[in-house]
Amino acid sequence: MSFILRRISTTKTGKQIVRDQPLPGASITLGRDGGNTIHVADLAVNPQHATISSADGRHVRVQASEGLGFDLNGRTLDTADIDSAAGAELRFGGHRLTIAREGENIILLVERIDELSQSSKDVDEARAFSLAAVMPGRRMGAWAFALVVLLAFLVGPIWAWHSYRGVDVRPQGYHADKAWLSGPLSSAHASLKNDCQACHVDAFVAVTDKACVGCHTGEHKAMSASHADASTAMLLAARHPPGVGEKVLAGFAKAFNKPQGRCVECHTEHEGAGPMPPTPQKFCADCHDGMAARLKAAGFKVDVADAGDFGTAHPEFRPLVRARRAPNRRARCPARGHWSIMTA
Amino acid sequence: MASLFPRRLLGRRNRATQTERVRERKHEGFLRYANFRWAKISGGLCLLVITSYALIDVTPRANGGSWYGYTLGTIGAGLILWLTALGYRKRKMTRDAWSLKAWTSAHVYLGLSLVVIGTWHTGFQLGWNVHTLAWALMMLVILSGLYGVIVYATLPAALSNNRDEMTQMQMLEAIRAFDRQLHAAAQPLSPEDTAPVLASLDEDPFAGGIRARLTGRYPKDATAAALRALSLAHGGNADARQKVIGLLSQKEAALARLRAHLRIRAMLEIWLYVHVPLTFALIAALSAHIISVFFYW
Ligand code: HEM
């Protein structure tokens, strides 16, 4: 028997050339040093790395000499006994030593299997030089962000609304639809800030007067019989002719199911903490300036004089005697519902 | 293909190096496109919004729910969707009147006009809610876009200086050549001396995360460590060691050039990792904003 060292080289055209070289003796050495029987030019191999011997011409003993062992079947070993008929693959640094048997001979095949260095590995130029190589994909990020936002700010709030449908008072705690709050509630309504549904009862249905009078039972009536008793049609007819902008807004309102003439149109909410903004004087004049003619045109009975401004264009106060409140004689602005005590 | 965008150019593997040069000449094209046509249109739009806002007295208080607010909001949302379409547009380029350059020019300037349209739409009422979230995301997208335009205008010169007529593949090739020489020159070294050289060979020149890419700092660099170790070593084959030290410092210089290149490219690309994902977050927030307004009408 003898050991045969087999080397396989590949030509430029891809052809493989096999060269066999008989090795003398029953014991041979392997290492990076030029003096070894098998010289492996690999920095990861020690100068004197291992001895390979066979006592019976069939079984091979591999013995590592200098600390660094070799790998066999995924384990790092210092010594291994191998039946050459069964064969084995050993790893020294970046090289592979294959032991096999052909006829009476033990074949030792040595090949480099690792690249000489990391840098010599093939790279995908477009990717390797780009930031994409070290970043998670933008597409992933895009979907992840979008999903989180949709869950937190769309699904969550709708879920909160859905879970408390028909519930009179919501429990304390965070409700996801708070994220929809478009501005702080007025101080009078501050206690409702956790309970959007107190006013926004049905989805896609604009806040109705029903929600207001649910709590504000009767106030309006006491303050201004004319507004509370007036039909919505009359209130709408009283308004000044719309400008371009208001026509646009009315178009929106109509298209998106937002009825006109509701309480909240004058009593605006979400305008900031503090008292609810007074409906500005201009709002009164919006209707009361030239209102009589418009109401008449719309076929309503008119008993209110025009008022363009509370200070400068307001009709005289007229005494109003109320039978049931006989002791008090009050003068009343019939338009605004303001009472002022007359010292008659 | 007189195109303008580094990212597009860098994206194609086989054209990457050839087109790197084009990028450096053409980077300004879209800003001056058609004698600043889109800059003028966008500036005019902003002026219109600002003056009309001042002239129109929305009662009781300016906000997105007034007719004026709806108008700005509709224009703004439309613009955002249109700007997003650029991403798709880019992938199927044509040479017609709407060239990529025109498209990008419009994108940049109309995108900037959203600062005015979006902010004036809010009526300057901001708070901790989904409405302000949409506004904030929009501003972040715009700011990142602004950063992108600035780096496109300034960094290509730095990229070209660092490259010094080499392509990026040639930079890598230089490192490979030093590795081969190191491997041969280190054969006579003792096991203690080969270990640091081996570590240098085993180091991936592209290793390092986003931090390393952006700062250009590689504190655990194995080649620098090998240089230090071998300079301190005694005994063994001193001549061979001296040769290896020389090669290591040459490799270190080649690595430094490659890493500077990677750093500039990272700064040219990083903003897109904000711009694109936040655009989608913005569209999600915008949808939630619009739906919420109608839901709690
Ligand atoms: C809210 C406003 C904006 C949105 C929604 C938006 C959205 C987008 C999207 C989706 C892309 C495609 C990116 C890709 O797929 O690679 C893009 C690209 C781009 N954006 Fe914006 N953008 C906005 C504002 C801006 C602004 C204000 C600027 C500049 C000042 C800008 C500059 C750019 C540039 C230069 C690109 C092209 C990047 C490239 O192809 O290399 N964007 N934008």
Side-chain angles (χ1 to χ4, degrees):
Chain A
M1 91 86 208
S2 71
F3 283 116
I4 291 187
L5 175 62
R6 174 168 293 174
R7 291 190 194 266
I8 300 180
S9 49
T10 310
T11 64
K12 279 212 176 80
T13 54
K15 216 171 85 184
Q16 288 201 325
I17 301 173
V18 180
R19 261 173 303 182
D20 285 348
Q21 174 196 357
L23 300 175
S27 177
I28 55 177
T29 59
L30 179 150
R32 168 152 58 90
D33 193 272
N36 287 289
T37 330
I38 301 177
H39 172 214
V40 182
D42 183 338
L43 286 186
V45 171
N46 275 339
Q48 274 76 39
H49 201 117
T51 316
I52 302 168
S53 56
S54 177
D56 60 1
R58 172 171 167 164
H59 293 94
V60 179
R61 162 161 288 225
V62 182
Q63 173 86 51
S65 35
E66 287 177 55
L68 282 182
F70 51 86
D71 286 358
L72 174 63
N73 299 331
R75 242 176 304 170
T76 303
L77 303 173
D78 282 331
T79 315
D81 287 306
I82 291 154
D83 178 359
S84 63
E89 285 186 3
L90 284 71
R91 221 184 132 117
F92 295 87
H95 282 73
R96 179 171 60 204
L97 169 68
T98 311
I99 299 176
R101 191 171 177 81
E102 276 180 15
E104 286 299 296
N105 296 322
I106 300 172
I107 309 288
L108 302 175
L109 171 65
V110 180
E111 301 162 288
R112 178 173 264 290
I113 51 170
D114 275 357
E115 298 279 357
L116 186 130
S117 71
Q118 279 291 324
S119 67
S120 41
K121 289 194 170 152
D122 262 349
V123 295
D124 174 357
E125 181 181 356
R127 194 176 158 76
F129 289 85
S130 155
L131 202 55
V134 296
M135 291 288 281
R138 288 206 292 277
R139 220 162 259 259
M140 269 299 296
W143 290 118
F145 272 131
L147 200 69
V148 168
V149 169
L150 282 180
L151 283 178
F153 297 103
L154 189 62
V155 176
I158 292 177
W159 180 253
W161 168 83
H162 179 77
S163 356
Y164 296 111
R165 289 197 72 176
V167 174
D168 264 354
V169 180
R170 284 193 194 185
Q172 288 292 312
Y174 183 78
H175 301 293
D177 50 0
K178 265 190 86 169
W180 284 0
L181 195 72
S182 67
L185 288 168
S186 62
S187 42
H189 290 154
S191 61
L192 297 176
K193 71 174 191 288
N194 265 324
D195 193 356
C196 308
Q197 272 160 296
C199 303
H200 302 277
V201 178
D202 290 314
F204 301 109
V205 174
V207 172
T208 59
D209 292 357
K210 219 170 100 193
C212 305
V213 298
C215 301
H216 297 274
T217 43
E219 273 112 325
H220 223 249
K221 209 159 234 144
M223 281 170 68
S224 165
S226 354
H227 283 163
D229 287 346
S231 65
T232 304
M234 184 175 184
L235 288 174
L236 289 179
R239 290 177 318 169
H240 75 135
V244 184
E246 282 153 330
K247 275 193 184 137
V248 173
L249 200 58
F252 273 118
K254 205 171 150 117
F256 292 105
N257 183 28
K258 197 174 194 176
Q260 305 279 289
R262 293 164 303 136
C263 308
V264 291
E265 267 174 64
C266 294
H267 303 286
T268 48
E269 239 324 338
H270 300 291
E271 300 282 1
M276 183 180 271
T279 52
Q281 172 180 270
K282 192 158 157 277
F283 275 178
C284 308
D286 279 350
C287 294
H288 285 267
D289 193 8
M291 181 174 76
R294 282 196 299 279
L295 282 182
K296 205 171 276 163
F300 291 102
K301 189 167 93 42
V302 186
D303 57 1
V304 185
D306 286 346
D309 186 283
F310 192 70
T312 58
H314 199 281
E316 281 304 306
F317 285 98
R318 282 175 282 150
L320 178 85
V321 181
R322 307 250 307 203
R324 266 200 278 144
R325 296 208 174 176
N328 284 343
R329 294 173 67 216
R330 299 190 182 194
R332 177 175 173 242
C333 162
R336 290 194 89 201
H338 287 260
W339 296 79
S340 46
I341 298 187
M342 296 272 290
T343 49
Chain B
M1 196 207 66
S3 203
L4 40 149
F5 264 148
R7 235 192 98 261
R8 276 205 47 262
L9 301 174
L10 293 170
R12 300 285 150 274
R13 181 222 278 262
N14 44 359
R15 280 185 294 158
T17 42
Q18 159 216 330
T19 48
E20 256 180 279
R21 252 153 249 162
V22 180
R23 175 185 55 216
E24 283 153 28
R25 274 187 285 115
K26 294 282 187 176
H27 64 85
E28 259 189 333
F30 66 89
L31 286 182
R32 310 174 159 273
Y33 172 78
N35 201 17
F36 295 103
R37 174 189 299 158
W38 289 103
K40 290 172 189 161
I41 292 174
S42 157
L45 193 61
C46 292
L47 220 63
L48 186 74
V49 169
I50 294 174
T51 43
S52 59
Y53 183 91
L55 292 178
I56 293 169
D57 185 13
V58 171
T59 48
R61 183 174 167 189
N63 70 35
S66 66
W67 70 268
Y68 189 70
Y70 282 129
T71 311
L72 287 189
T74 309
I75 295 174
L79 262 180
I80 285 172
L81 293 181
W82 183 82
L83 292 168
T84 307
L86 175 85
Y88 295 93
R89 163 78 193 181
K90 271 200 334 184
R91 290 182 182 95
K92 31 180 183 151
M93 259 232 299
T94 54
R95 284 180 141 273
D96 58 14
W98 271 107
S99 68
L100 185 66
K101 194 186 276 188
W103 194 261
T104 311
S105 191
H107 178 91
V108 166
Y109 289 117
L110 289 180
L112 284 174
S113 76
L114 269 173
V115 172
V116 171
I117 295 172
T119 308
W120 266 247
H121 165 67
T122 68
F124 304 97
Q125 295 190 44
L126 302 176
W128 294 105
N129 52 45
V130 63
H131 320 290
T132 301
L133 174 73
W135 174 83
L137 287 171
M138 181 196 77
M139 294 302 281
L140 286 176
V141 170
I142 294 172
L143 278 181
S144 62
L146 200 59
Y147 167 91
V149 169
I150 291 171
V151 293
Y152 279 179
T154 54
L155 287 187
L159 203 61
S160 155
N161 278 342
N162 176 66
R163 248 186 29 194
D164 197 16
E165 310 279 306
M166 281 169 103
T167 65
Q168 50 189 17
M169 279 313 267
Q170 284 169 337
M171 293 182 201
L172 178 60
E173 211 39 73
I175 293 167
R176 287 173 174 168
F178 287 126
D179 277 350
R180 281 190 296 272
Q181 296 174 60
L182 270 172
H183 189 264
Q187 293 293 327
L189 296 189
S190 66
E192 302 81 68
D193 286 355
T194 46
V197 178
L198 206 55
S200 165
L201 294 184
D202 275 344
E203 188 175 53
D204 181 356
F206 295 101
I210 171 73
R211 249 178 89 98
R213 286 271 174 125
L214 283 173
T215 59
R217 273 199 282 275
Y218 295 79
K220 282 187 242 151
D221 177 38
T223 304
L227 257 175
R228 282 194 301 272
L230 289 201
S231 309
L232 296 174
H234 300 285
N237 189 335
D239 281 350
R241 190 163 58 232
Q242 226 36 55
K243 195 170 168 211
V244 169
I245 289 176
L247 285 166
L248 279 172
S249 47
Q250 281 176 290
K251 179 182 173 187
E252 185 68 359
L255 264 178
R257 186 199 294 276
L258 175 75
R259 286 170 176 169
H261 179 77
L262 293 181
R263 169 157 186 261
I264 301 169
R265 286 213 39 187
M267 295 203 296
L268 274 168
E269 292 174 22
I270 185 69
W271 67 281
L272 278 165
Y273 290 86
V274 178
H275 204 65
V276 177
L278 286 197
T279 291
F280 284 81
L282 163 60
I283 290 174
L286 192 64
S287 316
H289 160 65
I290 293 169
I291 292 173
S292 78
V293 165
F294 289 111
F295 198 97
Y296 280 170
W297 203 197

